[in-house]
Amino acid sequence: MAAAEFASTLRAREKLIGYWVVLDAPVATERIARLGYDYIAVDGQHGLLGYSGILNAMMAADAGGSSVGLVRVEANEAGVIGRALDAGAAGVIVPLIDTAADAAEAVAATRYPPRGRRSYGPMRAGLRIGPRPADTDNSTVVLAMIETPQGLANVREICATDGLDGVYVGPSDLCLALGGEYPGDPAVTDAFESAVATIRKAAEDAGIAAGIHVPHGELAAQRLAEGYTFASVASDLVHLEQAAMTHLKAATS
């Protein structure tokens, strides 16, 4: 899927399935990118990779042939966002968005003047997208994470931000924001499900995409059936550990 096709599909609120990568293992990322996921999201915030790892992961995603590469950047900063996009990312997931002003700042960092304030220097991205800034703008998506008490309280205003393509639920931080003692705390399950529904409805009313991170494919299917439009599954590190444990148990049982 090309970046422009991915952007139009996401903006049309059509269903997309992605995979989460936290390891600096481009050969493994390339293998995953051949499986048919719509996108590979590389975690530049909490993942175990630096800028060279992000660059290699974007090349691996393109080499896989069926997935575009996204990057969850480490912060809502123009330089950080611009470098991820210059490395060839088809879009960015921006963490800790609390207000519509935060969302507008993220959007501006992904768009060239006069629509935004991204500095021109596409580097590797220029090989895939082309030299015209307007074409790059149209092929680049920006997603705001809703994961804080303020972000949840302001979700409707955030979703109404001009140029924002979608919102993305960070379930671990959202659970903590709702009073959970740890991610997945069952004591806040009702409040968490209510928040997930609120975010989904706010995105739907604004006509933008609604995404969520999930631990497995079954929950991805459930969230998509509920009305979310894209979902990212687990991570390479989690699946590596799970597969190794499964085989160890089988060998020693």
Side-chain angles (χ1 to χ4, degrees), residues 1-11 16 38-39 68 70 90-91 141:
M1 181 181 291
E5 181 185 359
F6 176 81
S8 63
T9 300
L10 182 132
R11 290 168 184 155
L16 295 162
D38 297 302
Y39 63 91
V68 302
L70 303 180
V141 302

Side-chain angles (χ1 to χ4, degrees), residues 133-191:
D135 293 340
T136 302
D137 287 350
N138 293 334
S139 300
T140 301
V141 302
V142 54
L143 307 167
M145 292 197 72
I146 306 298
E147 54 185 345
T148 66
Q150 299 93 330
L152 181 60
N154 295 320
V155 66
R156 287 196 168 274
E157 292 82 0
I158 291 169
C159 287
T161 301
D162 184 40
L164 187 68
D165 296 301
V167 289
Y168 188 77
V169 175
S172 295
D173 281 316
L174 182 61
C175 181
L176 298 178
L178 294 168
E181 295 187 6
Y182 53 89
D185 186 351
V188 297
T189 294
D190 290 345

Side-chain angles (χ1 to χ4, degrees), residues 23-26 42 48-60 83 87:
L23 296 176
D24 189 353
V42 176
L48 306 172
L49 69 177
Y51 183 72
S52 63
I54 290 172
L55 175 61
N56 288 336
M58 293 301 99
M59 291 191 288
R83 290 199 83 196

Side-chain angles (χ1 to χ4, degrees), residues 57-207:
M58 293 301 99
M59 291 191 288
D62 283 348
S66 65
S67 308
V68 302
L70 303 180
V71 175
R72 179 175 55 183
V73 294
E74 60 191 87
N76 187 12
E77 298 176 3
V80 170
I81 291 170
R83 290 199 83 196
L85 296 176
D86 290 346
V92 289
I93 302 169
V94 185
L96 302 172
I97 297 297
D98 290 332
T99 65
D102 289 344
E105 183 178 346
V107 171
T110 69
R111 306 293 190 252
Y112 290 114
R115 295 174 64 184
R117 54 191 301 268
R118 180 179 174 187
S119 175
Y120 188 82
M123 299 292 108
R124 181 173 175 272
L127 300 175
R128 183 161 55 82
I129 296 174
R132 294 180 180 272
D135 293 340
T136 302
D137 287 350
N138 293 334
S139 300
T140 301
V141 302
V142 54
L143 307 167
M145 292 197 72
I146 306 298
E147 54 185 345
T148 66
Q150 299 93 330
L152 181 60
N154 295 320
V155 66
R156 287 196 168 274
E157 292 82 0
I158 291 169
C159 287
T161 301
D162 184 40
L164 187 68
D165 296 301
V167 289
Y168 188 77
V169 175
S172 295
D173 281 316
L174 182 61
C175 181
L176 298 178
L178 294 168
E181 295 187 6
Y182 53 89
D185 186 351
V188 297
T189 294
D190 290 345
F192 180 82
E193 289 300 324
S194 176
V196 165
T198 294
I199 296 165
R200 182 188 70 230
K201 184 64 163 57
E204 180 182 1
D205 290 346

